Each structure stands twice: as structure tokens, then as C-alpha cells.
Amino acid sequence: MVRRTRRLGTAVLAGFLLASTLVGCATNGESPQDLAAPVAVTDAPTDALADEPTGEPSPSVSALESMGAAPSLSATPKPTKKPTKKPTRTAPKPRAVAKPPTETQVPPAPPKPAPSSCKPTYKGTQATRAEAKAALTDAAGRTYWPTSAPDIKVPLTLLKATAWQESGWQSNIYACDGGVGLMQVMPGTATWMNQRFEKSYEIDDYRDNAYLGATYLAWATKYIGDMYFEADYRLDPALCTAELNSCLLNAVIASYNYGHGAVAQEGKPLAIPNPSYVRNVRALMTECVCLDY
């Protein structure tokens, strides 16, 4: 809003015989006020909003104005606003309810947790950190859906963080619930995965164990991505909001720990039944000491 003010001035001239009074015209001056740039409301916290103008521009003074004449309205500079970037969400929100799955072959449900008093056992020789790193890097570089979804990629940071969360990169550890090796793959899941993708991975081999873990992550990416995210398969942390069920990455992490059936069900909203696990893996994706190995 701009306020306008009006001033009246009177000039009187004296003559030798006659005196007449001339009434001067009022002059208009405009004092522009600061204008705030509009701010659009969005649910995407990662989008930047345009800055507001930092101040009123300094008007240039012409020779006429310097002698006391009021500037014309057309010459009065007005505050300018920087163009406002319209924030947009860069990924689709999850569907309120899931579509029917395109993948009808599903892995077995995970077993019940083992008693906390049970201690894991170790068999064989443990792979070195360099060997584990090489196996995880190779697994992350593979294309797991070359025909129907070749754009699905398993981020290396996700694979490293999951392996650290599951086993601390111990390749020869056997958990009480049946989990084996680097990625703590369940024997039943390994058997199903080899049949589904026509592979012959050995669960006891740390390299094959890394491939099995990455294969499950890739399978869950397609399964959940088709049901809730309109086949947008990006596992990008930047697409996540504060709500854990806002992005595919969190859902895939949750599925690795609790199984696909606890996360994605036809006709139901996306669920994250294990928030602590998801937050741990997400934190490890940026803070894990294993990222420097």
C-alpha cells in the first residue's frame, strides 16, 4: 500500500498600483513503501522460497528536481520484486491406498525375533573391510530389473548403511533368528530370490550375500514403487519429508527389516512399522564410519 500526501503553497506578488494574489498548485509526491514478496505455501520443505526485497531503491535526481520541483509520478521509481519461484514437490506423494501389486511372486515373511538372550555364532573366515566394501560396491552397481525397470538403482550408501546396521560388516556372523552374513539374509529369502531371478547365489559367500541383500532392496523398490509411487523408483533422501511414510526410500528400508507385508498391502495406506530401524539406517547413510572404509 502506498500513502499519498498533499501540500498547499501560496505565493503573493506586490505591484506598484495593483496587488493580486496567485494561488499556487499543489504538488503530488509519492513515497513508496516496502512491499513484501508473496510467499507460497508448500508441503515440500526442501524447496526454497524467493527472497523479499531488501530495501527501497534510491531514486535518481534530475536537474529539474534538484531545483525544487516535485518529481512526476511517471518518474518515481517503484519497488521491484524478485521473481518468486513456485515451489513444487519433486516426487509424487504416496497414494492414500495401494494399487494392486504388479509383482505377484513375493518372498516369505520374516521369522519372529529371537530371544534377546541368544548370542550369534560365527563360522569360517571373516572378510576384510576392503573385501566387504568391494562386494557392496559391486552389488550397488548392478542392474536388477534390466527389462521392466532398468532405472532402479540401489544406492551404495543405502547398501553400506544396511549392512552396517545388520551385521557391522561381519561376513561370517549367524544370528539366532537365522540371518546370515553381511546383509543378514534369511535362508528362505535367499532360496526364493534365486528362484525368482534365476540365480544361484550362495548365502555363505560374502559377495553373493551382498548381491542377495541388494536384490531384495531392488525387488522391494519395484514392489512398493508400483503400489504407492506411480512407478517412481527413486531412492533419494531429498524426496522425504518429516513424515516417515512420505517417500519410497523409507518404505524400502522398513521392508528390509519387517518384510514387505508389514509395509505395503493392497487397499491400505503405506505403513512404517519400525520407525527406529528406519531412522537408524537413514542416519547411517550420512554418518556411518563405514562410509570411509
Side-chain angles (χ1 to χ4, degrees):
M1 177 179 179
V2 178
R3 297 195 305 272
R4 289 185 172 84
T5 58
R6 183 175 296 276
R7 299 187 301 273
L8 295 177
T10 305
V12 179
L13 299 179
F16 288 104
L17 299 175
L18 298 175
S20 62
T21 303
L22 299 177
V23 180
C25 297
T27 58
N28 292 330
E30 191 170 64
S31 176
Q33 307 300 311
D34 290 340
L35 298 179
V39 178
V41 178
T42 175
D43 62 352
T46 55
D47 288 332
L49 300 177
D51 297 331
E52 295 184 354
T54 56
E56 186 177 320
S58 299
S60 59
V61 182
S62 66
L64 183 62
E65 293 168 34
S66 67
M67 292 188 292
S72 65
L73 292 178
S74 61
T76 303
K78 296 182 179 180
T80 58
K81 295 183 293 183
K82 296 181 180 180
T84 302
K85 177 185 175 183
K86 185 178 179 181
T88 56
R89 186 180 176 91
T90 55
K93 294 181 180 180
R95 292 175 57 88
V97 295
K99 286 182 175 181
T102 55
E103 269 288 296
T104 57
Q105 302 181 58
V106 296
K112 294 180 180 180
S116 58
S117 59
C118 182
K119 302 298 182 183
T121 59
Y122 295 86
K123 299 178 183 178
T125 303
Q126 180 172 309
T128 66
R129 287 177 178 174
E131 290 171 333
K133 176 183 177 180
L136 295 168
T137 302
D138 187 28
R142 294 197 171 193
T143 300
Y144 291 91
W145 293 92
T147 302
S148 59
D151 55 330
I152 289 180
K153 301 295 181 185
V154 179
L156 179 56
T157 53
L158 172 59
L159 207 53
K160 285 182 173 181
T162 303
W164 191 263
Q165 172 72 25
E166 291 289 333
S167 71
W169 283 27
Q170 299 177 89
S171 63
N172 62 338
I173 188 172
Y174 289 72
C176 295
D177 64 359
V180 177
L182 195 63
M183 299 295 293
Q184 284 295 282
V185 180
M186 304 302 297
T189 303
T191 299
W192 175 86
M193 214 113 52
N194 280 331
Q195 294 172 349
R196 172 64 184 86
F197 294 98
E198 299 180 350
K199 301 295 182 180
S200 56
Y201 294 135
E202 295 289 341
I203 195 173
D204 296 322
D205 183 281
Y206 72 91
R207 291 167 293 244
D208 286 0
N209 194 283
Y211 302 147
L212 285 166
T215 301
Y216 181 88
L217 290 170
W219 178 87
T221 298
K222 188 175 191 309
Y223 184 80
I224 301 172
D226 288 343
M227 293 177 70
Y228 290 95
F229 293 91
E230 309 298 343
D232 185 333
Y233 302 125
R234 288 175 292 169
L235 299 177
D236 185 352
L239 303 179
C240 304
T241 70
E243 298 295 330
L244 284 179
N245 64 351
S246 64
C247 62
L248 181 58
L249 173 61
N250 290 347
V252 169
I253 293 172
S255 177
Y256 194 89
N257 175 237
Y258 253 51
H260 68 282
V263 176
Q265 295 186 39
E266 183 179 350
K268 294 185 178 182
L270 189 66
I272 306 295
N274 48 351
S276 295
Y277 182 90
V278 173
R279 290 190 180 100
N280 286 346
V281 174
R282 284 290 307 277
L284 288 170
M285 288 179 68
T286 57
E287 302 170 4
C288 183
V289 64
C290 62
L291 300 178
D292 295 327
Y293 290 164

